[in-house]
Amino acid sequence: MLFETRGEKGNLTVLFFHAMGVTGKSSERVAKHLKDDYFCVMPTSTVYCAGQRYVSKADEIRQIEEFLKENEVKEIALVVASSIGADLAVAFLSQTKLPVKHAFFDGGQFAKINGFTRGILVPFLYFAIKSIYKRNGQNLGKIMWCDDDAIKPYFVEAGKNLTYGNMRRQMADSLENKPFPSLSRELQERSFFEFGSAEDHFKYRADVMKSYPYAHFPTFEGYNHMQYQIRNPEGFAEMLRVVMSAENKTNRGLTACF
């Protein structure tokens, strides 16, 4: 993995898990609005790191925890996970010994896909991400709902370093057709699983609600996948501040953000 940070060590820590097809640096657009008060940590999955070999989710978690330890992080104020980043983030939350105060999932790709289907997806995803790199982002709008210039560089950089082997190994242990990892009731009560009402991933919401019945499930009405985060990173950052100040068992104060 590679790690980007914004803000000062010693401040409360916000840990980001990025979406598919981009680098961890894609979260800097949100992090720059938090860095004055928080230490923002933005790992890039080994899948998109030149010269590195993806092994497993367990190995990704190991690398993250080692980085946090090296930087003397003893508690995480907020975990923020976008799209497929939710798959790794939930695994991290279920395994880490570090205290985590809050979690926010933006359009989490909580798909449960059998191994055969995941195998079929590998070449499609690989060539789609590579094509964005080769065309310098000009075809992004044909692959995603958006083609915002602000996010193109992160897709291009990720595609540059992606290898077929890393994509295949990542998909082999991601989006598995298994029950979601267990999260404590206490953490569920401080977790927010948000979906845009217009996005395809909204279909996963009901299954997530059954798995984490004590969590909160706000909706971005009329928004597509990660659209609010991409189009309004400052507003998204301010919403995360509200999340971090929210009390257990309530989402009071969030209604104004959605």
Side-chain angles (χ1 to χ4, degrees):
M1 303 184 96
L2 294 174
F3 293 86
E4 297 278 344
T5 65
R6 297 291 183 274
E8 297 295 326
K9 286 196 296 185
N11 286 343
L12 295 173
T13 298
V14 178
L15 174 62
F16 290 86
F17 290 80
H18 65 80
M20 180 176 285
V22 295
T23 62
K25 200 174 180 181
S26 60
S27 298
E28 69 179 350
R29 301 178 66 246
V30 175
K32 73 177 184 179
H33 299 291
L34 297 172
K35 65 181 178 63
D36 290 344
D37 302 300
Y38 297 94
F39 179 52
C40 299
V41 179
M42 300 171 286
T44 292
S45 170
T46 305
V47 177
Y48 306 109
C49 295
Q52 297 188 21
R53 186 180 191 275
Y54 180 92
V55 177
S56 64
K57 283 190 288 190
D59 187 63
E60 299 288 279
I61 292 169
R62 176 192 62 78
Q63 293 182 64
I64 292 170
E65 292 200 311
E66 286 183 356
F67 180 86
L68 295 175
K69 184 177 180 180
E70 290 169 1
N71 285 270
E72 301 179 340
V73 173
K74 295 180 172 59
E75 181 180 270
I76 299 172
L78 177 67
V79 163
V80 185
S82 302
S83 195
I84 198 176
D87 183 72
L88 179 58
V90 169
F92 172 84
L93 290 170
S94 70
Q95 297 176 37
T96 187
K97 302 301 182 184
L98 285 171
V100 178
K101 300 297 292 182
H102 298 89
F104 189 92
F105 297 85
D106 183 19
Q109 193 169 338
F110 290 97
K112 293 181 179 178
I113 305 173
N114 63 46
F116 176 77
T117 303
R118 279 181 281 140
I120 294 175
L121 282 173
V122 170
F124 170 77
L125 294 170
Y126 173 76
F127 287 113
I129 295 170
K130 274 296 184 184
S131 70
I132 294 173
Y133 158 63
K134 292 178 179 178
R135 299 194 62 185
N136 200 33
Q138 294 179 12
N139 60 334
L140 181 58
K142 297 179 180 179
I143 295 172
M144 285 187 66
W145 60 266
C146 67
D147 59 353
D148 291 50
D149 288 338
I151 63 170
K152 283 181 181 179
Y154 310 113
F155 278 95
V156 172
E157 184 65 22
K160 175 183 178 181
N161 296 324
L162 178 65
T163 66
Y164 189 83
N166 274 346
M167 175 61 74
R168 177 175 54 80
R169 284 185 290 271
Q170 182 198 34
M171 291 304 296
D173 74 339
S174 299
L175 311 180
E176 299 167 285
N177 190 19
K178 298 178 180 179
F180 297 133
S182 177
L183 300 179
S184 70
R185 176 170 177 165
E186 181 183 11
L187 182 54
Q188 287 184 49
E189 290 172 346
R190 291 183 270 106
S191 296
F192 299 79
F193 295 84
E194 172 276 319
F195 294 89
S197 64
E199 67 174 305
D200 186 55
H201 292 181
F202 193 83
K203 63 189 176 187
Y204 305 134
R205 187 172 184 263
D207 199 14
V208 179
M209 292 177 77
K210 291 179 182 178
S211 299
Y212 305 119
Y214 303 107
H216 306 289
F217 296 89
T219 299
F220 285 148
E221 291 294 341
Y223 281 89
N224 211 315
H225 186 54
M226 295 176 58
Q227 188 174 32
Y228 184 61
Q229 177 182 164
I230 293 171
R231 296 277 171 86
N232 188 1
E234 182 176 6
F236 190 83
E238 288 306 308
M239 181 197 64
L240 295 180
R241 290 180 182 272
V242 174
V243 167
M244 285 186 276
S245 67
E247 298 177 0
N248 286 5
K249 302 182 181 179
T250 180
N251 61 358
R252 183 178 56 198
L254 283 176
T255 52
C257 300
F258 296 90

